[in-house]
mmCIF file of all heavy atoms in Angstrom:
data_model
loop_
_atom_site.group_PDB
_atom_site.id
_atom_site.type_symbol
_atom_site.label_atom_id
_atom_site.label_comp_id
_atom_site.label_asym_id
_atom_site.label_seq_id
_atom_site.Cartn_x
_atom_site.Cartn_y
_atom_site.Cartn_z
ATOM 1 N N THR A 1650 8.354 -72.952 -65.003
ATOM 2 C CA THR A 1650 8.295 -71.986 -66.175
ATOM 3 C C THR A 1650 7.248 -71.046 -65.836
ATOM 4 O O THR A 1650 7.478 -69.819 -66.168
ATOM 5 C CB THR A 1650 7.870 -72.772 -67.377
ATOM 6 O OG1 THR A 1650 8.926 -73.865 -67.686
ATOM 7 C CG2 THR A 1650 7.720 -71.905 -68.563
ATOM 8 N N CYS A 1651 6.008 -71.428 -65.349
ATOM 9 C CA CYS A 1651 4.996 -70.363 -64.976
ATOM 10 C C CYS A 1651 5.300 -69.448 -63.925
ATOM 11 O O CYS A 1651 5.223 -68.190 -64.213
ATOM 12 C CB CYS A 1651 3.722 -71.162 -64.651
ATOM 13 S SG CYS A 1651 2.877 -71.944 -66.011
ATOM 14 N N ASP A 1652 6.086 -69.905 -62.974
ATOM 15 C CA ASP A 1652 6.565 -69.035 -61.900
ATOM 16 C C ASP A 1652 7.595 -68.076 -62.429
ATOM 17 O O ASP A 1652 7.506 -66.888 -62.107
ATOM 18 C CB ASP A 1652 7.305 -69.833 -60.762
ATOM 19 C CG ASP A 1652 6.099 -70.663 -59.930
ATOM 20 O OD1 ASP A 1652 4.935 -70.361 -60.085
ATOM 21 O OD2 ASP A 1652 6.608 -71.481 -59.160
ATOM 22 N N GLU A 1653 8.450 -68.516 -63.348
ATOM 23 C CA GLU A 1653 9.546 -67.610 -63.874
ATOM 24 C C GLU A 1653 8.837 -66.542 -64.718
ATOM 25 O O GLU A 1653 9.120 -65.383 -64.656
ATOM 26 C CB GLU A 1653 10.463 -68.500 -64.736
ATOM 27 C CG GLU A 1653 11.471 -67.720 -65.383
ATOM 28 C CD GLU A 1653 12.117 -68.419 -66.615
ATOM 29 O OE1 GLU A 1653 12.327 -69.587 -66.515
ATOM 30 O OE2 GLU A 1653 12.352 -67.839 -67.637
ATOM 31 N N LEU A 1654 7.723 -66.835 -65.554
ATOM 32 C CA LEU A 1654 7.202 -65.892 -66.442
ATOM 33 C C LEU A 1654 6.038 -65.227 -65.884
ATOM 34 O O LEU A 1654 5.520 -64.260 -66.523
ATOM 35 C CB LEU A 1654 6.695 -66.676 -67.695
ATOM 36 C CG LEU A 1654 7.735 -67.341 -68.588
ATOM 37 C CD1 LEU A 1654 6.976 -68.224 -69.752
ATOM 38 C CD2 LEU A 1654 8.656 -66.374 -69.101
ATOM 39 N N GLY A 1655 5.709 -65.446 -64.637
ATOM 40 C CA GLY A 1655 4.682 -64.744 -63.893
ATOM 41 C C GLY A 1655 3.387 -65.145 -64.567
ATOM 42 O O GLY A 1655 2.401 -64.424 -64.478
ATOM 43 N N VAL A 1656 3.281 -66.410 -64.918
ATOM 44 C CA VAL A 1656 2.060 -67.027 -65.407
ATOM 45 C C VAL A 1656 1.329 -67.762 -64.338
ATOM 46 O O VAL A 1656 1.933 -68.695 -63.776
ATOM 47 C CB VAL A 1656 2.258 -67.957 -66.595
ATOM 48 C CG1 VAL A 1656 0.923 -68.472 -67.075
ATOM 49 C CG2 VAL A 1656 2.769 -67.095 -67.832
ATOM 50 N N LYS A 1657 0.120 -67.375 -64.055
ATOM 51 C CA LYS A 1657 -0.560 -68.030 -62.897
ATOM 52 C C LYS A 1657 -0.965 -69.382 -63.279
ATOM 53 O O LYS A 1657 -1.669 -69.613 -64.238
ATOM 54 C CB LYS A 1657 -1.781 -67.181 -62.360
ATOM 55 C CG LYS A 1657 -2.458 -67.539 -61.195
ATOM 56 C CD LYS A 1657 -1.748 -67.175 -59.932
ATOM 57 C CE LYS A 1657 -2.299 -67.712 -58.684
ATOM 58 N NZ LYS A 1657 -1.393 -67.508 -57.495
ATOM 59 N N ILE A 1658 -0.801 -70.413 -62.429
ATOM 60 C CA ILE A 1658 -1.326 -71.736 -62.655
ATOM 61 C C ILE A 1658 -2.755 -71.900 -62.073
ATOM 62 O O ILE A 1658 -2.981 -71.579 -60.884
ATOM 63 C CB ILE A 1658 -0.496 -72.751 -61.986
ATOM 64 C CG1 ILE A 1658 0.876 -72.989 -62.934
ATOM 65 C CG2 ILE A 1658 -1.204 -74.245 -62.091
ATOM 66 C CD1 ILE A 1658 1.715 -73.946 -62.468
ATOM 67 N N LEU A 1659 -3.759 -72.179 -62.913
ATOM 68 C CA LEU A 1659 -5.083 -72.337 -62.364
ATOM 69 C C LEU A 1659 -5.147 -73.855 -62.231
ATOM 70 O O LEU A 1659 -5.084 -74.727 -63.371
ATOM 71 C CB LEU A 1659 -6.175 -71.901 -63.467
ATOM 72 C CG LEU A 1659 -6.236 -70.446 -63.654
ATOM 73 C CD1 LEU A 1659 -7.472 -70.115 -64.469
ATOM 74 C CD2 LEU A 1659 -6.233 -69.696 -62.359
ATOM 75 N N ALA A 1660 -5.292 -74.394 -61.044
ATOM 76 C CA ALA A 1660 -5.139 -75.868 -60.765
ATOM 77 C C ALA A 1660 -6.459 -76.533 -61.063
ATOM 78 O O ALA A 1660 -7.369 -76.290 -60.215
ATOM 79 C CB ALA A 1660 -4.651 -76.144 -59.499
ATOM 80 N N TYR A 1661 -6.643 -77.306 -62.152
ATOM 81 C CA TYR A 1661 -8.020 -77.950 -62.270
ATOM 82 C C TYR A 1661 -8.052 -79.391 -61.684
ATOM 83 O O TYR A 1661 -6.923 -79.948 -61.350
ATOM 84 C CB TYR A 1661 -8.379 -77.895 -63.761
ATOM 85 C CG TYR A 1661 -7.815 -78.808 -64.903
ATOM 86 C CD1 TYR A 1661 -7.974 -80.159 -64.826
ATOM 87 C CD2 TYR A 1661 -7.118 -78.230 -65.937
ATOM 88 C CE1 TYR A 1661 -7.503 -81.102 -65.680
ATOM 89 C CE2 TYR A 1661 -6.677 -79.074 -66.923
ATOM 90 C CZ TYR A 1661 -6.814 -80.436 -66.881
ATOM 91 O OH TYR A 1661 -6.418 -81.237 -67.874
ATOM 92 N N SER A 1662 -9.187 -79.815 -61.463
ATOM 93 C CA SER A 1662 -9.386 -81.068 -60.746
ATOM 94 C C SER A 1662 -8.526 -81.324 -59.464
ATOM 95 O O SER A 1662 -7.815 -82.266 -59.265
ATOM 96 C CB SER A 1662 -9.089 -82.315 -61.653
ATOM 97 O OG SER A 1662 -9.844 -82.267 -62.944
ATOM 98 N N PRO A 1663 -8.634 -80.091 -58.676
ATOM 99 C CA PRO A 1663 -7.784 -80.199 -57.540
ATOM 100 C C PRO A 1663 -8.145 -81.280 -56.391
ATOM 101 O O PRO A 1663 -7.342 -81.670 -55.567
ATOM 102 C CB PRO A 1663 -7.884 -78.782 -56.816
ATOM 103 C CG PRO A 1663 -9.217 -78.301 -57.458
ATOM 104 C CD PRO A 1663 -9.290 -78.959 -58.728
ATOM 105 N N LEU A 1664 -9.438 -81.770 -56.701
ATOM 106 C CA LEU A 1664 -9.838 -82.781 -55.663
ATOM 107 C C LEU A 1664 -9.755 -84.214 -56.422
ATOM 108 O O LEU A 1664 -10.356 -85.120 -55.899
ATOM 109 C CB LEU A 1664 -11.331 -82.564 -55.314
ATOM 110 C CG LEU A 1664 -11.448 -81.246 -54.413
ATOM 111 C CD1 LEU A 1664 -13.069 -80.954 -54.217
ATOM 112 C CD2 LEU A 1664 -10.795 -81.440 -53.025
ATOM 113 N N ALA A 1665 -9.026 -84.237 -57.544
ATOM 114 C CA ALA A 1665 -8.903 -85.417 -58.396
ATOM 115 C C ALA A 1665 -10.316 -86.077 -58.694
ATOM 116 O O ALA A 1665 -10.597 -87.194 -58.503
ATOM 117 C CB ALA A 1665 -8.029 -86.486 -57.732
ATOM 118 N N LEU A 1666 -11.112 -85.046 -59.075
ATOM 119 C CA LEU A 1666 -12.618 -85.484 -59.454
ATOM 120 C C LEU A 1666 -13.540 -85.993 -58.379
ATOM 121 O O LEU A 1666 -14.613 -86.572 -58.535
ATOM 122 C CB LEU A 1666 -12.657 -86.514 -60.617
ATOM 123 C CG LEU A 1666 -11.918 -86.177 -61.879
ATOM 124 C CD1 LEU A 1666 -11.774 -87.435 -62.716
ATOM 125 C CD2 LEU A 1666 -12.737 -85.148 -62.784
ATOM 126 N N GLY A 1667 -12.943 -85.765 -57.122
ATOM 127 C CA GLY A 1667 -13.654 -86.174 -55.952
ATOM 128 C C GLY A 1667 -12.941 -87.197 -55.159
ATOM 129 O O GLY A 1667 -13.194 -87.377 -53.966
ATOM 130 N N ALA A 1668 -11.929 -87.850 -55.650
ATOM 131 C CA ALA A 1668 -11.095 -88.892 -54.908
ATOM 132 C C ALA A 1668 -10.563 -88.334 -53.738
ATOM 133 O O ALA A 1668 -10.621 -88.871 -52.512
ATOM 134 C CB ALA A 1668 -10.060 -89.450 -55.903
ATOM 135 N N LEU A 1669 -9.991 -87.069 -53.735
ATOM 136 C CA LEU A 1669 -9.241 -86.569 -52.628
ATOM 137 C C LEU A 1669 -10.278 -85.996 -51.534
ATOM 138 O O LEU A 1669 -9.837 -85.475 -50.536
ATOM 139 C CB LEU A 1669 -8.350 -85.421 -53.142
ATOM 140 C CG LEU A 1669 -7.153 -85.886 -53.848
ATOM 141 C CD1 LEU A 1669 -6.431 -84.764 -54.547
ATOM 142 C CD2 LEU A 1669 -6.119 -86.730 -52.988
ATOM 143 N N THR A 1670 -11.595 -86.109 -51.765
ATOM 144 C CA THR A 1670 -12.509 -85.787 -50.619
ATOM 145 C C THR A 1670 -12.532 -86.851 -49.594
ATOM 146 O O THR A 1670 -12.956 -86.674 -48.477
ATOM 147 C CB THR A 1670 -13.985 -85.592 -51.107
ATOM 148 O OG1 THR A 1670 -14.426 -86.835 -51.634
ATOM 149 C CG2 THR A 1670 -14.004 -84.567 -52.328
ATOM 150 N N GLY A 1671 -11.985 -88.062 -50.051
ATOM 151 C CA GLY A 1671 -11.993 -89.186 -49.012
ATOM 152 C C GLY A 1671 -13.421 -89.933 -49.015
ATOM 153 O O GLY A 1671 -13.498 -90.900 -48.329
ATOM 154 N N LYS A 1672 -14.305 -89.349 -49.885
ATOM 155 C CA LYS A 1672 -15.705 -90.138 -49.695
ATOM 156 C C LYS A 1672 -15.889 -91.348 -50.511
ATOM 157 O O LYS A 1672 -16.731 -91.986 -50.486
ATOM 158 C CB LYS A 1672 -16.667 -88.981 -50.089
ATOM 159 C CG LYS A 1672 -16.759 -88.645 -51.551
ATOM 160 C CD LYS A 1672 -17.863 -87.573 -51.694
ATOM 161 C CE LYS A 1672 -17.861 -87.238 -53.167
ATOM 162 N NZ LYS A 1672 -18.862 -85.973 -53.384
ATOM 163 N N TRP A 1673 -14.803 -91.547 -51.426
ATOM 164 C CA TRP A 1673 -14.964 -92.831 -52.166
ATOM 165 C C TRP A 1673 -14.377 -93.993 -51.380
ATOM 166 O O TRP A 1673 -13.205 -94.008 -51.015
ATOM 167 C CB TRP A 1673 -14.053 -92.590 -53.523
ATOM 168 C CG TRP A 1673 -14.550 -91.656 -54.475
ATOM 169 C CD1 TRP A 1673 -15.506 -90.885 -54.299
ATOM 170 C CD2 TRP A 1673 -13.857 -91.205 -55.648
ATOM 171 N NE1 TRP A 1673 -15.635 -89.952 -55.334
ATOM 172 C CE2 TRP A 1673 -14.612 -90.194 -56.294
ATOM 173 C CE3 TRP A 1673 -12.799 -91.670 -56.294
ATOM 174 C CZ2 TRP A 1673 -14.285 -89.602 -57.458
ATOM 175 C CZ3 TRP A 1673 -12.430 -91.185 -57.579
ATOM 176 C CH2 TRP A 1673 -13.211 -90.108 -58.141
ATOM 177 N N THR A 1674 -15.167 -94.922 -51.123
ATOM 178 C CA THR A 1674 -14.581 -96.078 -50.409
ATOM 179 C C THR A 1674 -15.152 -97.394 -51.255
ATOM 180 O O THR A 1674 -16.060 -97.219 -52.052
ATOM 181 C CB THR A 1674 -15.194 -96.200 -48.966
ATOM 182 O OG1 THR A 1674 -16.621 -96.467 -49.041
ATOM 183 C CG2 THR A 1674 -14.884 -94.900 -48.254
ATOM 184 N N PRO A 1675 -14.685 -98.444 -50.954
ATOM 185 C CA PRO A 1675 -15.115 -99.757 -51.680
ATOM 186 C C PRO A 1675 -16.639 -99.917 -51.478
ATOM 187 O O PRO A 1675 -17.334 -100.365 -52.499
ATOM 188 C CB PRO A 1675 -14.371 -100.883 -50.958
ATOM 189 C CG PRO A 1675 -13.137 -100.282 -50.390
ATOM 190 C CD PRO A 1675 -13.479 -98.792 -50.087
ATOM 191 N N SER A 1676 -17.202 -99.498 -50.383
ATOM 192 C CA SER A 1676 -18.645 -99.734 -50.180
ATOM 193 C C SER A 1676 -19.455 -98.380 -50.801
ATOM 194 O O SER A 1676 -20.667 -98.535 -50.844
ATOM 195 C CB SER A 1676 -19.084 -99.940 -48.810
ATOM 196 O OG SER A 1676 -18.405 -98.914 -47.936
ATOM 197 N N THR A 1677 -18.828 -97.286 -50.922
ATOM 198 C CA THR A 1677 -19.421 -96.086 -51.366
ATOM 199 C C THR A 1677 -18.599 -95.490 -52.652
ATOM 200 O O THR A 1677 -18.166 -94.373 -52.554
ATOM 201 C CB THR A 1677 -19.541 -94.994 -50.404
ATOM 202 O OG1 THR A 1677 -18.188 -94.766 -49.780
ATOM 203 C CG2 THR A 1677 -20.423 -95.474 -49.226
ATOM 204 N N PRO A 1678 -18.570 -96.253 -53.691
ATOM 205 C CA PRO A 1678 -17.788 -95.823 -54.922
ATOM 206 C C PRO A 1678 -18.672 -94.700 -55.661
ATOM 207 O O PRO A 1678 -19.781 -94.641 -55.432
ATOM 208 C CB PRO A 1678 -17.638 -97.085 -55.697
ATOM 209 C CG PRO A 1678 -18.849 -97.862 -55.399
ATOM 210 C CD PRO A 1678 -19.189 -97.573 -54.013
ATOM 211 N N PRO A 1679 -18.023 -93.856 -56.483
ATOM 212 C CA PRO A 1679 -18.784 -92.880 -57.252
ATOM 213 C C PRO A 1679 -19.526 -93.643 -58.359
ATOM 214 O O PRO A 1679 -19.081 -94.726 -58.742
ATOM 215 C CB PRO A 1679 -17.681 -92.049 -57.878
ATOM 216 C CG PRO A 1679 -16.429 -92.839 -57.839
ATOM 217 C CD PRO A 1679 -16.584 -93.831 -56.565
ATOM 218 N N SER A 1680 -20.501 -93.054 -58.884
ATOM 219 C CA SER A 1680 -21.048 -93.761 -60.153
ATOM 220 C C SER A 1680 -20.454 -93.103 -61.408
ATOM 221 O O SER A 1680 -19.675 -92.238 -61.340
ATOM 222 C CB SER A 1680 -22.608 -93.454 -60.061
ATOM 223 O OG SER A 1680 -22.847 -92.051 -60.017
ATOM 224 N N GLY A 1681 -20.947 -93.779 -62.553
ATOM 225 C CA GLY A 1681 -20.415 -93.275 -63.836
ATOM 226 C C GLY A 1681 -19.063 -93.515 -64.073
ATOM 227 O O GLY A 1681 -18.350 -94.409 -63.508
ATOM 228 N N PRO A 1682 -18.355 -92.667 -64.891
ATOM 229 C CA PRO A 1682 -17.056 -92.889 -65.340
ATOM 230 C C PRO A 1682 -15.921 -92.876 -64.181
ATOM 231 O O PRO A 1682 -14.954 -93.445 -64.232
ATOM 232 C CB PRO A 1682 -16.696 -91.752 -66.309
ATOM 233 C CG PRO A 1682 -18.005 -91.177 -66.634
ATOM 234 C CD PRO A 1682 -18.954 -91.520 -65.476
ATOM 235 N N ARG A 1683 -16.340 -92.257 -63.055
ATOM 236 C CA ARG A 1683 -15.341 -92.216 -61.888
ATOM 237 C C ARG A 1683 -15.247 -93.479 -61.237
ATOM 238 O O ARG A 1683 -14.238 -93.682 -60.376
ATOM 239 C CB ARG A 1683 -15.712 -91.007 -61.090
ATOM 240 C CG ARG A 1683 -15.588 -89.642 -61.656
ATOM 241 C CD ARG A 1683 -16.095 -88.459 -60.704
ATOM 242 N NE ARG A 1683 -17.486 -88.475 -60.399
ATOM 243 C CZ ARG A 1683 -17.993 -87.832 -59.365
ATOM 244 N NH1 ARG A 1683 -17.227 -87.026 -58.740
ATOM 245 N NH2 ARG A 1683 -19.313 -87.784 -59.232
ATOM 246 N N ALA A 1684 -16.267 -94.380 -61.340
ATOM 247 C CA ALA A 1684 -16.148 -95.695 -60.694
ATOM 248 C C ALA A 1684 -14.888 -96.435 -60.927
ATOM 249 O O ALA A 1684 -14.253 -97.014 -59.937
ATOM 250 C CB ALA A 1684 -17.335 -96.533 -61.055
ATOM 251 N N ALA A 1685 -14.393 -96.311 -62.283
ATOM 252 C CA ALA A 1685 -13.142 -97.032 -62.534
ATOM 253 C C ALA A 1685 -11.950 -96.530 -61.867
ATOM 254 O O ALA A 1685 -11.055 -97.109 -61.549
ATOM 255 C CB ALA A 1685 -12.913 -97.170 -64.041
ATOM 256 N N ILE A 1686 -11.949 -95.151 -61.695
ATOM 257 C CA ILE A 1686 -10.754 -94.398 -61.028
ATOM 258 C C ILE A 1686 -10.821 -94.976 -59.591
ATOM 259 O O ILE A 1686 -9.644 -95.197 -59.009
ATOM 260 C CB ILE A 1686 -10.963 -92.890 -61.190
ATOM 261 C CG1 ILE A 1686 -11.223 -92.462 -62.514
ATOM 262 C CG2 ILE A 1686 -9.783 -92.221 -60.596
ATOM 263 C CD1 ILE A 1686 -11.562 -91.020 -62.654
ATOM 264 N N SER A 1687 -11.912 -94.852 -59.106
ATOM 265 C CA SER A 1687 -12.093 -95.194 -57.629
ATOM 266 C C SER A 1687 -11.510 -96.641 -57.486
ATOM 267 O O SER A 1687 -10.737 -97.010 -56.506
ATOM 268 C CB SER A 1687 -13.535 -95.123 -57.108
ATOM 269 O OG SER A 1687 -13.610 -95.590 -55.861
#
Side-chain angles (χ1 to χ4, degrees):
T1650 299
C1651 287
D1652 290 348
E1653 177 198 324
L1654 296 178
V1656 174
K1657 189 77 185 174
I1658 290 180
L1659 299 188
Y1661 75 67
S1662 304
L1664 297 172
L1666 299 166
L1669 291 168
T1670 65
K1672 68 182 178 183
W1673 298 358
T1674 68
S1676 55
T1677 57
S1680 57
R1683 293 181 290 171
I1686 306 168
S1687 173

